[in-house]
Amino acid sequence: MNPLDKSKEYVIYKFLQRYDYDAVIDVLEEVGIVEGDLYLLMESSKYAINFDFKKASISLNNMSSEMLGRREIKRLISNLENLENGEPEDILSELIENMKIQIVNEEYIDFLGRLYRLKEALFKYIFVSTKENKKYKVSMHGYMVSKKNILYTLKKKYNIYNGNLITGVTNYINRYIKKTKRMEKVVDILNGERLENLIKLRNESPVGHGFKGVSKEDIEELYGNPMEVVQDLVKACELLDLGIKMNKYDNINEMAIQMIGSYTNY
């Protein structure tokens, strides 16, 4: 007899729609499913969504040989390796996926916090990728992209004295990067009035320096539908020749639903 009846399946589907992998694991454990491919996939997703890519990778690599042979799982393992190595496309894709999930779950304060991190990460990427020769491989981990190193390099090498990384790199772009329509568009998106207004809203919230709550209506008033923010950030990444993948967790959810439906590999 299968431990997952229709009511439990329905509960899992609802949690998957919210990308709540912790809750899915609770349901699985409640019915005695504490190992196997479905459990490991959900465990990996729980870690990955919280940026613990090392543990996420361990969980995936413990799946059955049949699952490890599947193209989708191979792709996920490769993605987690890239995330551990700080590959820009994978890191930025993960940040944007996180933002999308926070919108779905109406976690607008966390959404604004992630927005600021993404904006800062893009300016770090622009600086490191343009000041080195084209053979240089950019990683989003380590000293090279640290705020301390970038501010020091701006001061010592480019005579830009500013304690704010985004302002400092913006000055660097204006002075030292060849003006192209693509770069101008990137800066227009990232430093535009609409995004700046959202950053100010973030600064007034608990993830910034204040205690103000944030609603969907607040974001809509300043920018439009929150998903428009995500779309504009994807566009900025694409203008920087960074390919962004937006459906990682939706694809994981589809796999999970197939596994539940087949009642195998528990």
Side-chain angles (χ1 to χ4, degrees):
M1 182 179 170
N2 195 291
L4 281 173
D5 60 27
K6 288 295 177 188
S7 64
K8 289 286 194 300
E9 283 186 35
Y10 178 75
V11 170
I12 289 175
Y13 294 155
K14 296 305 284 184
F15 284 138
L16 287 174
Q17 285 176 347
R18 288 165 39 192
Y19 310 94
D20 190 342
Y21 301 110
D22 260 321
V24 174
I25 286 170
D26 286 344
V27 175
L28 294 176
E29 289 178 347
E30 192 182 304
V31 298
I33 299 172
V34 294
E35 58 183 10
D37 290 331
L38 176 61
Y39 187 88
L40 289 166
L41 181 63
M42 295 296 93
E43 186 178 61
S44 174
S45 303
K46 176 188 82 169
Y47 290 134
I49 217 161
N50 288 299
F51 285 73
D52 190 343
F53 305 124
K54 190 169 185 179
K55 280 187 180 176
S57 189
I58 290 168
S59 294
L60 273 193
N61 279 293
N62 280 328
M63 293 179 88
S64 67
S65 56
E66 182 189 341
M67 288 300 291
L68 289 172
R70 284 180 63 170
R71 187 175 55 194
E72 305 98 302
I73 299 298
K74 286 179 179 176
R75 197 182 296 130
L76 276 177
I77 290 170
S78 174
N79 168 248
L80 288 168
E81 286 171 0
N82 290 342
L83 287 164
E84 278 193 77
N85 294 329
E87 291 285 345
E89 290 189 351
D90 295 84
I91 291 284
L92 293 165
S93 293
E94 195 74 18
L95 283 167
I96 289 173
E97 276 269 279
N98 254 243
M99 288 176 66
K100 185 181 83 172
I101 290 167
Q102 284 155 353
I103 292 168
V104 168
N105 290 325
E106 300 182 351
E107 297 165 349
Y108 296 115
I109 289 174
D110 291 334
F111 165 75
L112 291 178
R114 192 69 76 222
L115 168 65
Y116 184 79
R117 287 283 155 259
L118 181 62
K119 177 174 176 175
E120 192 176 58
L122 279 168
F123 275 98
K124 286 179 175 182
Y125 175 80
I126 290 168
F127 180 70
V128 175
S129 64
T130 56
K131 81 178 188 63
E132 302 289 344
N133 64 55
K134 297 211 172 174
K135 293 179 185 173
Y136 182 78
K137 189 172 174 60
V138 179
S139 170
M140 299 305 290
H141 296 328
Y143 184 69
M144 184 62 71
V145 293
S146 69
K147 182 176 180 179
K148 183 179 177 182
N149 176 57
I150 290 173
L151 291 178
Y152 178 80
T153 308
L154 285 169
K155 184 170 66 175
K156 288 293 182 184
K157 190 171 180 181
Y158 300 102
N159 294 314
I160 294 171
Y161 296 81
N162 197 294
N164 182 287
L165 185 141
I166 290 169
T167 306
V169 175
T170 300
N171 288 338
Y172 159 80
I173 292 167
N174 291 336
R175 290 191 208 174
Y176 294 100
I177 293 186
K178 182 182 175 184
K179 282 189 167 46
T180 64
K181 285 202 183 317
R182 287 165 77 89
M183 187 58 77
E184 281 178 14
K185 185 63 181 169
V186 170
V187 174
D188 282 347
I189 291 170
L190 297 180
N191 285 344
E193 186 181 356
R194 289 198 302 163
L195 203 67
E196 276 303 296
N197 286 336
L198 290 186
I199 299 298
K200 286 175 189 170
L201 192 62
R202 172 258 178 197
N203 293 340
E204 293 167 1
S205 79
V207 295
H209 315 294
F211 299 98
K212 187 177 176 183
V214 179
S215 68
K216 184 180 182 182
E217 289 72 28
D218 292 330
I219 294 169
E220 285 176 338
E221 190 178 331
L222 296 173
Y223 204 103
N225 188 297
M227 282 296 182
E228 280 185 50
V229 186
V230 174
Q231 288 160 5
D232 284 345
L233 290 167
V234 170
K235 189 173 183 180
C237 291
E238 288 171 348
L239 288 164
L240 292 167
D241 291 321
L242 291 162
I244 300 299
K245 298 176 183 70
M246 286 282 291
N247 299 310
K248 172 181 169 180
Y249 292 99
D250 291 323
N251 293 337
I252 286 171
N253 290 351
E254 279 182 32
M255 261 195 291
I257 288 166
Q258 286 169 11
M259 291 164 81
I260 292 165
S262 68
Y263 303 113
T264 58
N265 293 326
Y266 290 155

